[in-house]
Amino acid sequence: MAEVGEIIEGCRLPVLRRNQDNEDEWPLAEILSVKDISGRKLFYVHYIDFNKRLDEWVTHERLDLKKIQFPKKEAKTPTKNGLPGSRPGSPEREVKRKVEVVSPATPVPCETAPASVFPQNGSARRAVAAQPGRKRKSNCLGTDEDSQDSSDGIPSAPRMTGSLVSDRSHDDIVTRMKNIECIELGRHRLKPWYFSPYPQELTTLPVLYLCEFCLKYGRSLKCLQRHLTKCDLRHPPGNEIYRKGTISFFEIDGRKNKSYSQNLCLLAKCFLDHKTLYYDTDPFLFYVMTEYDCKGFHIVGYFSKEKESTEDYNVACILTLPPYQRRGYGKLLIEFSYELSKVEGKTGTPEKPLSDLGLLSYRSYWSQTILEILMGLKSESGERPQITINEISEITSIKKEDVISTLQYLNLINYYKGQYILTLSEDIVDGHERAMLKRLLRIDSKCLHFTPKDWSKRGKW
């Protein structure tokens, strides 16, 4: 059996952890770092095939030293795809992506052919007429809902201009490890999930204190209190473009409010693994959702978007802060992004890859929005109601590719007598109705006061 002193970076071995059912388990983990505090060794572990947000420091008592795998010794730094690895001597980590990208040659349902509705055995069937002889397209969306790597259509390489997608080829030990222990933001204390490039001197603090209105960071509570006597903000800078009840949205220009935008990106990076921080926030707009009380407008979440997007992206990054998750705010952010697209007269799609939580939220939003339209179709003059994929896209501002992939994800498309049929079973209908009863938060377009700008004229930047 190996000794504790023999454990080095790159070793793999089972590590004791508690699962969601509060049961002990011993998943395989990789040692990313070792440190010594007062003569006691601590090991930073990444659980293989688990989300990075579960990475943690552990003591040697939780390590199974009988099954340790030492890293292979190599003369040179290993490479992957022609790029240097994160460090010499570590076993190469396989990142499995469950992605199905459909080639342009793959036949898809005709976007302009009308869909008709007719009843069958108590359920409604909606038929999309299409050319005969075509085959169904496979599911475009990834099926692994717990994987941070799931998304449809991951670009082969991140764009270097305007994109906030992280280039993972340059990951190293530093960026693979959480560096902030705890963040105090207003009345909440947040435990970061991922690395964020806050200044090095702040990473050793037990708590990082943030002003919840301007997001400036301080070393201590005393620093924060001193800052609050001078900070006159009680809401995000920028224009309030939406208010209903206690919910407001503020539009922030990344050029005009650079300091706030950069601080927002630093905070968001703690909870977004696939996004990187660009200090040049000029090309982006930030839409911050807040909840109002007597003390001010408290940040709930946000999304950013490029002022000009050649790929029709209407969202670059999107995040609901952990204290507000699982309360419908994520879907509200998504709905708001599509409301802006409707005003702009465009269809949009989020920049890929999505985080695991982002993918779940978008799938759910797309499904509910499309089903809402299909179930609301009314027959005229006894004729079966008809609708095309193009029309669904125009009504919702959801890009056609996302409409098609959602229908396929829901397994609604069937090929029947020379045409495509969209079958809404009673289970789908019942499930949708139950979900919509729980969806209490909705965007009211009458409360939106937004005038899109033509960002192609650089003078407006």
Side-chain angles (χ1 to χ4, degrees):
M1 185 173 75
E3 298 292 331
V4 173
E6 297 177 52
I7 301 173
I8 59 173
E9 292 176 6
C11 286
R12 293 188 177 194
L13 72 174
V15 177
L16 176 64
R17 69 179 296 273
R18 285 285 176 93
N19 62 21
Q20 289 178 324
D21 299 321
N22 209 29
E23 299 169 341
D24 289 348
E25 60 180 10
W26 291 85
L28 185 65
E30 180 182 354
I31 305 292
L32 296 187
S33 186
V34 183
K35 68 180 179 182
D36 198 310
I37 298 181
S38 304
R40 185 174 175 80
K41 280 190 178 292
L42 291 175
F43 305 90
Y44 192 86
V45 300
H46 165 68
Y47 298 102
I48 309 298
D49 295 330
F50 283 70
N51 193 293
K52 273 171 59 178
R53 75 178 66 138
L54 299 175
D55 295 1
E56 59 180 334
W57 288 100
V58 301
T59 59
H60 76 273
E61 288 89 356
R62 291 173 57 184
L63 308 178
D64 185 354
L65 299 177
K66 295 176 185 175
K67 298 181 180 177
I68 191 167
Q69 304 170 22
F70 287 99
K72 294 176 183 177
K73 292 182 180 179
E74 296 186 29
K76 296 180 180 178
T77 304
T79 59
K80 190 168 186 177
N81 299 330
L83 294 165
S86 58
R87 63 193 176 284
S90 65
E92 196 154 328
R93 185 166 163 254
E94 291 183 3
V95 180
K96 297 179 181 177
R97 295 178 183 270
K98 299 189 76 173
V99 183
E100 294 179 37
V101 181
V102 179
S103 67
T106 306
V108 297
C110 184
E111 294 159 357
T112 54
S116 56
V117 183
F118 58 94
Q120 183 168 352
N121 298 331
S123 65
R125 278 184 169 244
R126 287 164 170 75
V128 181
Q131 296 175 14
R134 291 185 174 183
K135 294 181 180 178
R136 290 176 57 196
K137 186 173 78 169
S138 61
N139 181 14
C140 284
L141 288 165
T143 55
D144 184 358
E145 296 187 349
D146 296 322
S147 169
Q148 187 76 11
D149 297 312
S150 296
S151 79
D152 73 343
I154 293 178
S156 57
R159 294 175 301 126
M160 289 294 101
T161 55
S163 175
L164 291 178
V165 174
S166 175
D167 182 357
R168 309 315 297 272
S169 64
H170 298 303
D171 276 6
D172 56 23
I173 282 296
V174 174
T175 58
R176 287 179 69 188
M177 292 169 53
K178 299 173 201 172
N179 58 335
I180 304 295
E181 185 67 29
C182 181
I183 290 175
E184 186 168 303
L185 181 72
R187 62 180 179 270
H188 300 292
R189 282 206 165 182
L190 315 177
K191 297 285 282 184
W193 296 346
Y194 308 110
F195 169 88
S196 181
Y198 279 102
Q200 183 75 35
E201 62 270 20
L202 302 179
T203 60
T204 56
L205 301 174
V207 180
L208 182 62
Y209 294 88
L210 266 60
C211 171
E212 64 173 325
F213 300 113
C214 73
L215 303 182
K216 283 184 178 173
Y217 42 83
R219 298 179 60 87
S220 65
L221 184 57
K222 189 172 285 187
C223 287
L224 176 64
Q225 290 169 340
R226 195 161 56 240
H227 165 80
L228 290 175
T229 61
K230 297 178 284 185
C231 182
D232 54 2
L233 275 182
R234 287 297 172 267
H235 59 76
N239 299 321
E240 185 182 11
I241 61 172
Y242 179 92
R243 182 187 294 188
K244 184 173 185 182
T246 59
I247 299 294
S248 289
F249 279 85
F250 291 82
E251 182 184 57
I252 292 109
D253 187 322
R255 182 181 67 82
K256 293 179 180 176
N257 298 283
K258 193 182 290 283
S259 176
Y260 179 90
S261 301
Q262 289 174 351
N263 288 334
L264 178 60
C265 288
L266 281 169
L267 172 62
K269 184 62 188 74
C270 292
F271 306 100
L272 294 171
D273 187 30
H274 269 300
K275 303 298 180 179
T276 190
L277 183 81
Y278 275 74
Y279 284 98
D280 179 16
T281 57
D282 288 17
F284 293 94
L285 295 167
F286 298 84
Y287 294 89
V288 177
M289 180 166 65
T290 64
E291 205 172 48
Y292 176 77
D293 65 16
C294 60
K295 293 184 179 179
F297 294 79
H298 308 279
I299 180 171
V300 169
Y302 88 105
F303 67 88
S304 58
K305 66 184 288 188
E306 293 176 74
K307 292 173 180 175
E308 295 181 275
S309 174
T310 54
E311 295 91 345
D312 296 327
Y313 292 140
N314 63 354
V315 165
C317 287
I318 186 166
L319 172 72
T320 305
L321 290 172
Y324 298 96
Q325 290 177 359
R326 305 186 69 83
R327 288 162 59 177
Y329 288 119
K331 208 163 283 174
L332 200 67
L333 281 164
I334 295 171
E335 186 176 2
F336 190 78
S337 72
Y338 282 106
E339 283 299 325
L340 296 184
S341 294
K342 288 176 186 177
V343 176
E344 292 170 337
K346 300 175 181 177
T347 59
T349 189
E351 185 175 349
K352 314 300 191 305
L354 292 165
S355 69
D356 55 346
L357 297 178
L359 179 61
L360 287 172
S361 297
Y362 267 96
R363 275 180 177 168
S364 179
Y365 173 79
W366 289 332
S367 299
Q368 290 179 8
T369 304
I370 292 168
L371 285 171
E372 205 169 22
I373 287 172
L374 295 180
M375 290 170 59
L377 291 173
K378 300 282 190 264
S379 60
E380 296 178 8
S381 312
E383 296 268 329
R384 294 194 295 268
Q386 296 188 340
I387 194 167
T388 66
I389 286 173
N390 272 344
E391 287 169 344
I392 295 173
S393 180
E394 287 168 13
I395 294 167
T396 61
S397 280
I398 299 172
K399 208 168 183 181
K400 285 180 289 193
E401 291 85 344
D402 295 330
V403 173
I404 294 169
S405 66
T406 301
L407 293 172
Q408 291 166 333
Y409 172 71
L410 293 170
N411 203 25
L412 299 185
I413 298 179
N414 293 291
Y415 192 67
Y416 179 73
K417 290 189 177 178
Q419 59 184 352
Y420 283 96
I421 309 293
L422 301 183
T423 308
L424 292 185
S425 66
E426 289 182 8
D427 287 345
I428 289 279
V429 172
D430 291 345
H432 172 72
E433 289 174 347
R434 283 196 303 272
M436 294 308 288
L437 286 174
K438 295 177 185 176
R439 192 171 159 189
L440 304 177
L441 293 172
R442 298 297 298 268
I443 294 295
D444 185 347
S445 58
K446 294 191 289 292
C447 299
L448 176 62
H449 305 284
F450 169 69
T451 304
K453 294 180 182 177
D454 181 8
W455 293 104
S456 62
K457 297 173 183 175
R458 292 285 166 165
K460 296 206 172 185
W461 278 43

